[in-house]
Amino acid sequence: MATTDNEVKELIKREYEHGFVTEIESDTFEPGLNEDVIRRLSEIKQEPEFMLEWRLKAYRRWLDMEEPEWAHVDFPKVDYNDISYYSAPKKKEDMPQSLDEVDPELLRTYEKLGIPLHERAKLAGVAVDAVFDSVSVATTFKEPLEKAGVIFCPISEAVHKHPELIKKYLGSVVPAGDNYFAALNSAVFSDGSFVYIPKGVRCPMELSTYFRINAANTGQFERTLIVAEEGSYVSYLEGCTAPMRDENQLHAAVVEIVVLDDAQVKYSTVQNWYPGDEHGKGGIYNFVTKRAACIGKNSKVSWTQVETGSAITWKYPSCVLRGENSVGEFYSVALTHNHQQADTGTKMIHLGKNTRSTIISKGISAGRSSNAYRGLVKFGPAADGARNFTQCDSLLIGDRCGAHTFPYIESKNKSAIVEHEATTSKVSDEQMFLCRQRGIDPEQAVSMIVNGFCKEVFKELPMEFAVEAGKLLEVSLEGSVG
Amino acid sequence: MLSIKNLHASVEDKAILKGINLDIKPGEVHAIMGPNGSGKSTLSQVLAGNEAFEVTSGEVTLNGENLLDLAIEERAREGVFLAFQYPVEIPGVSNLQFLRTAVNAMRKHRGEEEMNAAEFMKQAKEVSKQVDLDPSFLKRGVNEDFSGGEKKRNEIMQALLLQPKLAILDETDSGLDIDALQVVSNGVNALRAEDRAILMVTHYQRLLNHIVPDYVHVLAGGRIVKSGGRELALELEERGYGWLGINDEDTSN
């Protein structure tokens, strides 16, 4: 469009706003991975024997596995011995008991990111677990949650305080040997959040975990486990950012959700890891396994994700619909710009009777980026009356980007019904002309058109995060007009 | 107010406008008529700054300011408004949001405070009544599933909201039944003001029964071949374009 070269350059120069580095003393492992590293990690966390064994078993599985190459992404091989597997800010005691004990430098970091950890602050009504590099540094609203019987704590704490729940559920949805990155995570995961909602309890507030990678040459391997007992409900949100660094950094997380009879879990993600610069240098490799098991009857899981960050995203939040009448939903906005690559989608595995799933995927590609939707809808032999609806829409901005759709459908049940709709469109010159003729800046016009395209997904996000997601798209699209 | 001097423009190296000269004073309504392919729509697109067209020579000023140096949105903020012949859809973006963004972009340019949602809603509802549109349509996507008539009314409503200095109406009457034509015309007449110029591009005389112009110009082969008052339009209706030596190949629409 008509924006002059200078304007475009100016816009591109505006930088990733979460790209700062916190100057804080850390205990960081030397790069490299072997059994001793895992033992040391487990020792620092004073883990019970069963955890160490679990990790070592996963590590041995990992050694025998091959890195997957089927995704529609292209990047140099990761040297797993070049990564440090643990980095934690130094602190007086092992675990801060209250916010007063948290290093003020860390509190400032989260303030700067717009995630105030002080409970009276603006996110009032949302409990936050803040994970900094490899450890959880603070969890807010512990008391009111405890009163409701809800457990919301760092997973490292849950290993000590609730070993029976950890033993029962950890790895029950994503087994250690599930895939290459899940195995790696199982061996070296350092922290993450644990959520337990007891029978019949509606969690009194939104829960959220905020992940921050700070240290250089460090991988973040967080592990989140959510268990929703019969008839319970929880809405959970995660947010992610990282400093700007020239080197790529690895983030390989695992999220497991267990949903019992009549329970509902709503899981929302706003992923804004550093995407690399406009030449494709640096950025996070985001290789994540997320899966929910709808074990119970009438259980329901909704995944909503807004993915704007990371150099490479490899992520398929999935639902295993085992319980009768269980429901799985996947709402996704994935935006790629500059040299970003995304291969993302979902898997809906229908095993039980009358299970239903909905997939709404919105992919937006700008710059020289590549954006792929990959989805599997599978019906087992017992999935009588199951049905799926899939809608995949791609929006292209400019003519140097790519959008791809890889839908897979497997059915072993004749009564299953699948509907699939897909569209590809462009931000058209006519739309831009109309907006600009009404006095609207080209950048604002693109952002408005893209927001409109994503509306169906944004309406699934909790209110305050929908606003944040809209703004995030705006920032991520800067420099896309030119 | 608007001064066009010897304007030449082309699309994909094909010359369309071949020396347009036109002056419009504040408060005046000018109608541009002409057969298909005469360059009527091109003239309105070029004035608004559509980048698909290249201005090869000539001059266009609005209140002394060179319009051709300005980007599309800058022209709009200086008061140029184009009511589109075929308004495009923007799915998922509500009319309300679109209009408010536009109004606030203009206000910002003038150094005024932005309007909040409630204030704007009130104003938008009032204006929508002027073109007989139910306020519920404000919540619908921009031009999404609008009928032809609704799209045209929506364009006029935007002009009423944005209060431009120069309103260019590109075939605003096309595709309208007689009732809708009346509604749209009422809207345009409400737009008439002492400090505003209106340039209407139309194929048919019938619009001019509802919106009476001060001047009528006949465009053919990229040039204005005849100018006159209101009576010129009536003469065209009676005698067609032939007596002007113009071959009106296609009058089917």
Side-chain angles (χ1 to χ4, degrees):
Chain A
M1 304 294 306
T3 324
T4 63
D5 277 0
N6 274 342
E7 284 174 68
V8 171
K9 275 178 204 146
E10 204 52 45
L11 287 163
I12 287 171
K13 261 192 274 167
R14 266 193 258 172
E15 285 175 343
Y16 177 74
E17 67 174 324
H18 306 303
F20 63 91
V21 177
T22 306
E23 291 302 331
I24 194 159
E25 242 189 299
S26 292
D27 287 318
T28 305
F29 281 13
E30 287 293 303
L33 183 57
N34 52 50
E35 291 203 5
D36 284 344
V37 168
I38 293 167
R39 280 177 213 283
R40 246 174 86 204
L41 178 72
S42 188
E43 201 180 296
I44 285 180
K45 297 190 159 293
Q46 298 168 324
E47 284 180 348
E49 189 63 23
F50 82 90
M51 268 317 304
L52 175 63
E53 271 167 33
W54 199 78
R55 288 175 181 279
L56 289 173
K57 226 165 112 184
Y59 174 67
R60 287 165 198 151
R61 289 290 297 271
W62 180 73
L63 285 177
D64 286 338
M65 294 169 96
E66 296 273 341
E67 198 172 325
E69 282 173 356
W70 44 262
H72 193 82
V73 293
D74 184 29
F75 60 96
K77 268 210 161 312
V78 176
D79 183 345
Y80 292 91
N81 278 316
D82 232 16
I83 298 170
S84 165
Y85 288 83
Y86 183 80
S87 178
K90 275 190 178 153
K91 57 195 168 192
K92 304 161 227 155
E93 291 154 51
D94 265 343
M95 240 172 259
Q97 294 308 303
S98 77
L99 283 170
D100 302 336
E101 292 174 38
V102 175
D103 190 313
E105 191 60 34
L106 282 175
L107 291 180
R108 271 195 293 277
T109 297
Y110 284 91
E111 290 285 351
K112 219 165 148 185
L113 293 167
I115 312 288
L117 297 178
H118 284 293
E119 299 182 11
R120 60 183 178 277
K122 73 169 180 189
L123 272 182
V126 181
V128 180
D129 183 20
V131 177
F132 192 86
D133 289 331
S134 304
V135 291
S136 169
V137 291
T139 308
T140 63
F141 286 106
K142 277 191 159 177
E143 262 180 47
L145 288 172
E146 267 166 32
K147 237 179 238 169
V150 171
I151 303 171
F152 178 44
C153 68
I155 200 159
S156 54
E157 189 181 317
V159 167
H160 293 277
K161 289 192 178 163
H162 311 283
E164 69 297 340
L165 289 172
I166 294 294
K167 269 187 201 164
K168 185 169 174 190
Y169 291 114
L170 188 73
S172 70
V173 184
V174 180
D178 186 79
N179 67 69
Y180 189 79
F181 298 111
L184 178 63
N185 174 286
S186 301
V188 301
F189 79 88
S190 37
D191 223 332
S193 300
F194 174 69
V195 176
Y196 179 82
I197 316 290
K199 192 171 166 177
V201 170
R202 193 180 166 91
C203 186
M205 59 184 71
E206 304 260 351
L207 302 183
S208 104
T209 301
Y210 195 87
F211 295 100
R212 173 74 176 170
I213 297 178
N214 187 60
N217 301 318
T218 308
Q220 193 177 50
F221 305 93
E222 87 263 0
R223 186 116 195 164
T224 298
L225 175 59
I226 299 175
V227 179
E229 290 279 11
E230 259 181 70
S232 66
Y233 170 86
V234 65
S235 169
Y236 177 93
L237 182 121
E238 61 171 357
C240 332
T241 59
M244 288 159 54
R245 295 188 188 281
D246 287 346
E247 305 81 28
N248 294 106
Q249 280 180 281
L250 180 64
H251 170 256
V254 170
V255 175
E256 296 179 279
I257 303 178
V258 180
V259 198
L260 299 168
D261 286 1
D262 304 303
Q264 273 191 41
V265 176
K266 189 173 167 62
Y267 192 105
S268 314
T269 302
V270 175
Q271 185 265 108
N272 186 26
W273 296 118
Y274 177 53
D277 68 10
E278 72 264 35
H279 307 295
K281 195 170 188 193
I284 301 290
Y285 290 165
N286 190 32
F287 302 147
V288 171
T289 307
K290 290 183 168 176
R291 196 175 303 154
C294 285
I295 296 173
K297 283 185 288 189
N298 310 314
S299 56
K300 180 177 172 183
V301 163
S302 287
W303 296 102
T304 306
Q305 60 172 21
V306 177
E307 304 277 322
T308 60
S310 299
I312 297 176
T313 295
W314 185 99
K315 178 181 165 187
Y316 316 91
S318 306
C319 299
V320 181
L321 303 170
R322 193 177 295 278
E324 256 181 63
N325 302 316
S326 59
V327 175
E329 294 174 338
F330 175 73
Y331 300 99
S332 170
V333 166
L335 180 145
T336 53
H337 188 205
N338 293 326
H339 291 262
Q340 281 177 277
Q341 305 175 62
D343 191 301
T344 183
T346 183
K347 290 189 276 185
M348 292 291 175
I349 315 292
H350 293 258
L351 300 175
K353 269 186 201 165
N354 299 319
T355 48
R356 279 161 294 146
S357 63
T358 304
I359 299 171
I360 309 281
S361 163
K362 305 275 181 178
I364 302 135
S365 328
R368 293 168 183 274
S369 67
S370 160
N371 200 327
Y373 167 81
R374 186 184 303 275
L376 168 67
V377 177
K378 192 172 174 175
F379 298 96
D384 291 339
R387 59 193 303 164
N388 162 267
F389 172 76
T390 299
Q391 185 187 327
C392 284
D393 298 324
S394 306
L395 185 69
L396 304 174
I397 302 171
D399 52 12
R400 291 177 302 180
C401 51
H404 313 270
T405 305
F406 305 101
Y408 304 85
I409 297 167
E410 290 173 28
S411 183
K412 294 190 172 120
N413 188 305
K414 281 183 186 157
S415 69
I417 298 172
V418 192
E419 288 173 79
H420 185 102
E421 290 176 9
T423 65
T424 302
S425 52
K426 278 191 76 167
V427 173
S428 73
D429 290 351
E430 288 78 16
Q431 289 171 330
M432 289 299 289
F433 185 42
L434 170 61
C435 293
R436 295 177 65 192
Q437 212 300 304
R438 299 301 184 249
I440 301 168
D441 275 325
E443 292 283 325
Q444 204 181 355
V446 169
S447 146
M448 188 167 70
I449 294 165
V450 170
N451 265 289
F453 174 75
C454 301
K455 198 177 174 186
E456 282 163 285
V457 174
F458 284 174
K459 74 176 169 40
E460 298 296 327
L461 285 171
M463 187 53 184
E464 56 273 51
F465 297 116
V467 174
E468 190 186 328
K471 283 190 194 144
L472 191 56
L473 278 194
E474 204 168 309
V475 173
S476 305
L477 280 166
E478 269 169 11
S480 65
V481 180
Chain B
M1 176 173 270
L2 178 72
S3 164
I4 304 174
K5 288 199 175 79
N6 196 27
L7 182 65
H8 286 71
S10 57
V11 63
E12 289 165 358
D13 291 330
K14 190 181 170 225
I16 312 265
L17 301 183
K18 299 169 183 167
I20 303 270
N21 289 290
L22 184 64
D23 276 293
I24 305 184
K25 294 192 182 72
E28 292 178 351
V29 176
H30 288 233
I32 303 248
M33 299 186 70
N36 286 337
S38 59
K40 297 189 305 279
S41 276
T42 300
L43 177 61
S44 41
Q45 298 283 320
V46 166
L47 291 176
N50 188 336
E51 289 150 0
F53 299 91
E54 193 194 349
V55 172
T56 46
S57 67
E59 201 177 279
V60 180
T61 58
L62 183 71
N63 293 327
E65 188 164 7
N66 182 1
L67 269 193
L68 301 178
D69 275 355
L70 301 180
I72 302 165
E73 61 276 13
E74 292 167 338
R75 296 182 196 199
R77 292 172 199 156
E78 290 303 325
V80 176
F81 179 93
L82 171 64
F84 287 84
Q85 183 180 3
Y86 303 110
V88 68
E89 295 185 4
I90 308 180
V93 176
S94 77
N95 230 351
L96 195 67
Q97 187 198 350
F98 173 72
L99 296 174
R100 194 172 133 223
T101 306
V103 165
N104 281 336
M106 304 286 190
R107 292 178 73 99
K108 197 174 152 198
H109 177 69
R110 293 194 297 261
E112 296 168 16
E113 291 255 319
E114 295 200 346
M115 262 179 140
N116 68 37
E119 257 179 293
F120 181 76
M121 186 71 179
K122 204 175 145 215
Q123 198 188 339
K125 272 185 178 167
E126 272 167 29
V127 177
S128 68
K129 275 185 217 147
Q130 271 183 281
V131 288
D132 205 18
L133 277 172
D134 190 281
S136 68
F137 103 110
L138 288 166
K139 291 184 181 156
R140 286 160 57 186
V142 177
N143 294 317
E144 221 180 340
D145 305 319
F146 283 24
S147 70
E150 282 174 327
K151 283 184 184 172
K152 295 294 170 78
R153 280 186 274 167
N154 191 24
E155 292 295 293
I156 300 306
M157 178 189 148
Q158 290 174 38
L160 288 165
L161 262 178
L162 295 171
Q163 297 284 311
K165 292 191 185 116
L166 169 68
I168 306 162
L169 313 177
D170 190 2
E171 308 257 1
T172 294
D173 53 329
S174 70
L176 294 184
D177 63 29
I178 192 71
D179 293 336
L181 183 65
Q182 186 62 54
V183 171
V184 166
S185 302
N186 290 347
V188 175
N189 285 324
L191 207 56
R192 293 180 88 143
E194 270 180 22
D195 56 353
R196 178 171 300 128
I198 297 177
L199 180 63
M200 284 191 293
V201 168
T202 181
H203 194 95
Y204 294 111
Q205 201 284 135
R206 65 167 189 168
L207 178 67
L208 310 185
N209 292 334
H210 300 272
I211 309 163
V212 179
D214 300 305
Y215 297 95
V216 176
H217 311 276
V218 179
L219 194 63
R223 288 189 193 94
I224 290 178
V225 296
K226 192 159 181 66
S227 295
R230 159 93 177 98
E231 68 288 348
L232 178 56
L234 297 170
E235 199 168 353
L236 285 171
E237 187 179 39
E238 209 169 297
R239 301 171 66 182
Y241 290 103
W243 62 283
L244 289 167
I246 301 163
N247 179 19
D248 188 7
E249 288 160 6
D250 179 11
T251 50
S252 57
N253 65 347

